Every structure is written in structure tokens, then in C-alpha cells.
Amino acid sequence: MADLKGINLAMQTPFDENGAINYAVFEELIDRYVEAGVHGLVLGAGTGQHPYLTEAECNRLYEVGAKRIAGRCNVICQASALNMDEVIRRSKHAQAVGAHALMILPPYFEGPGDDDGIFEFYRTIDAAVGTDIVGYNIPQATGISISPQLLERLFQLKNFNYIKDSAGDFTVHQEFLQKNGTILNGADPTTVYALMAGTRGVIWGAANYMPAEAVELYDLVSSGKYAQALALWQRMLPSILFIWRSPYTPSVLLAAQLRGYGTGNVRRPLRKLSQDQEALLRKSLAALEG
């Protein structure tokens, strides 16, 4: 079982002005994020615009990414898809190129939403792969909530050892923490509190524009330096609140570009922020420079 502790950066996929993946920038970003001390990189994350990448693009992205990372941190690949056979196919490819874990959404578009149906979905994948599975609880996007009771069942599967909880319900998150598996926080505004509560690590989109600060926050909490962690958190919080209440991925990518990470380009149908939104984002980022 991989240890996905710490900061697992939900990595952006850099695009050029025409919407093509810029692999040179991708590899450069990997080096910079690894040098910042992140513990893992999530390739093809939601922040990496996974829904708008083809299967072939994801496969190449994971091949290039795993080779560039070269064992310097954990590699987590998203293998989500609507078609069951495609999920398994994507999972096996990511596994073959060296993924330490596979992040997989539940059947998120008119699939089974009941506990038994979701369990069977993950059970089928679990039986087909030999790599750690990171389930994904993000009901605001999928319409599916993983209950603590269902999570307890899922953790009995051989490879289902993690769940990324992006719901932002801290009560449920703490209920998850009582189960016999590993919880990864995915809701940006609760990050510091989840770490203090015992969350093993995070899968974090905002780390794209503040990787060093994210690692420092984790290190401070891990060392029990809560006052210092909360002081750092106050500098991080304005931009975190902005991106959480705004178009998330375009906000993160622009913030990253403004701080020297990546191109800032999104792929259609996503759109860049408006001028007014950009002005507010710039204002929120100012606290990080203080």
C-alpha cells in the first residue's frame, strides 16, 4: 500500500493558446513542484481538466509524468470515466506506467446512486486492478454522497484504501476519520482543520499556485506548531475562499500563472475569468506576499 501522506498536488495540465497540451511546460512544472517538496502529484486531476482530456491524452500525460517524476514523489492518476470498461482500461494503463494509486469517481452521470450500486462499481474495479484506489466524494459535482456507512464497506475491499473527501462537510469528514482506512482532504477551505483532526494528507488544487506554502502548512501541523500553521493559513485563506466560490479551475490556473506556474490557459468549454473576477483574484493573492 502506498503512503499518500502530506501534500498531493492536484496538478494542472498546461495548455497552449490553441488548447493543446504543452508537455514541455508540464515537465517543467513537475520539477518545480517536486523541488517545492510536495509528497505526491495527481495527474489528470479535476484541476488538470480531466473531463476535457481524451483517453489517449490522459495515457500520454501519465506516461510522460511518471517518467519525469522518476520516483521523486508519489504518482496518483485519475482513471475516472463513464464507461465501466474504460475505467478498467484507463486504470490498467496508469498502473502499468507506474501509478502508486488510482483516483476514481463514482458512476457520476445517471449511474447507480444507491449504496449497493456504488459498492458494486468499486468492487468490480477493485477485482480488476492491483493498485491502491482513491475513491472520490464530491457530491456537489456528482450528485452522489459517499456515506460513512458505505465508506466502511468500501474499505473492506482489497485495494480501496483511500477516499478523497471534497464535500466540505467537516462533520462527515470527521466521521470518515473514524473508519479503518485513510482519508485525504479535498475541500480547500477546511485543509488546515482537517490536518489538525488527523487527515493523513490532502489532494489540493490550490497548491498549484502556492506549493511551498502548502508544504510548509503540512510541516507545521505535523510538528504540532498550530499557532504558526494558523498564521500561515490566514495568508492563504483569502485566495482559497475566492477560488472556492468562483469558477474553480480557471481561478487556480490564473493564480498559478500570476505566481509563475504554468500558462493560465483553459480548454473549452471552460472559460477564463472576467476582468472583474481577475481583479478580485489578484487582490486575494496579495496576502500571500505579505
Side-chain angles (χ1 to χ4, degrees), residues 206-260:
N208 278 282
Y209 66 84
M210 48 180 177
E213 292 88 347
V215 172
E216 182 182 1
L217 185 77
Y218 174 78
D219 288 344
L220 288 170
V221 174
S222 297
S223 301
K225 298 176 180 176
Y226 295 151
Q228 290 172 255
L230 288 170
L232 173 58
W233 181 248
Q234 288 305 309
R235 292 172 46 216
M236 304 168 86
L237 189 57
S239 62
I240 288 171
L241 293 176
F242 176 86
I243 65 173
W244 197 252
R245 294 300 191 194
S246 302
Y248 185 86
T249 297
S251 298
V252 170
L253 296 186
L254 178 56
Q257 181 192 24
L258 292 171
R259 303 197 81 219

Side-chain angles (χ1 to χ4, degrees), residues 21 30 43-44 46 52 57 60 64 71 81 90 102 121 123-124 147 152 154 157 168 190 232 236 260 263 269 275-276:
I21 298 174
I30 286 174
L43 309 180
Y52 312 121
E57 285 177 322
R60 187 179 174 205
V64 171
R90 284 173 176 259
L102 309 165
F121 170 82
R123 188 203 64 78
T124 303
S147 68
E152 191 166 24
L154 290 168
L157 297 171
T190 64
L232 173 58
M236 304 168 86
T263 65
Q275 289 185 345
D276 289 345

Side-chain angles (χ1 to χ4, degrees), residues 9-16 20-34 41-45 48 53 57-69 72 75-77 208 261-263:
L9 189 152
M11 189 172 168
Q12 60 175 301
T13 303
F15 297 104
D16 64 21
I21 298 174
N22 188 324
Y23 287 98
V25 173
F26 178 61
E27 292 188 85
E28 174 196 337
L29 285 170
I30 286 174
D31 289 344
R32 293 184 65 195
Y33 289 146
V34 170
L41 288 170
V42 184
L43 309 180
L53 300 173
E57 285 177 322
C58 282
N59 286 345
R60 187 179 174 205
L61 200 70
Y62 301 162
E63 291 162 9
V64 171
K67 183 178 180 181
R68 189 71 175 199
I69 292 167
R72 292 180 291 168
V75 178
I76 305 168
C77 297
N208 278 282
Y261 298 95
T263 65

Side-chain angles (χ1 to χ4, degrees), residues 133-175:
I133 294 170
V134 181
Y136 198 165
N137 186 45
I138 184 167
Q140 61 269 39
T142 62
I144 296 172
S145 292
I146 306 295
S147 68
Q149 294 74 29
L150 173 58
L151 183 61
E152 191 166 24
R153 291 176 62 190
L154 290 168
F155 277 150
Q156 294 171 15
L157 297 171
K158 179 180 178 181
N159 299 301
F160 194 107
N161 295 314
Y162 292 91
I163 190 163
K164 176 188 178 185
D165 181 23
S166 297
D169 185 329
F170 198 53
T171 298
V172 172
H173 192 82
Q174 291 178 94
E175 290 176 323

Side-chain angles (χ1 to χ4, degrees), residues 184-216:
L184 303 173
N185 185 65
D188 299 44
T190 64
T191 301
V192 71
Y193 309 108
L195 289 171
M196 288 179 178
T199 295
R200 182 68 177 164
V202 299
I203 294 180
W204 201 359
N208 278 282
Y209 66 84
M210 48 180 177
E213 292 88 347
V215 172
E216 182 182 1

Side-chain angles (χ1 to χ4, degrees), residues 261-282:
Y261 298 95
T263 65
N265 294 320
V266 297
R267 176 176 276 187
R268 295 179 298 179
L270 294 183
R271 298 183 300 167
K272 291 188 175 184
L273 298 186
S274 68
Q275 289 185 345
D276 289 345
Q277 289 172 322
E278 180 176 338
L280 291 171
L281 173 60
R282 286 177 179 270

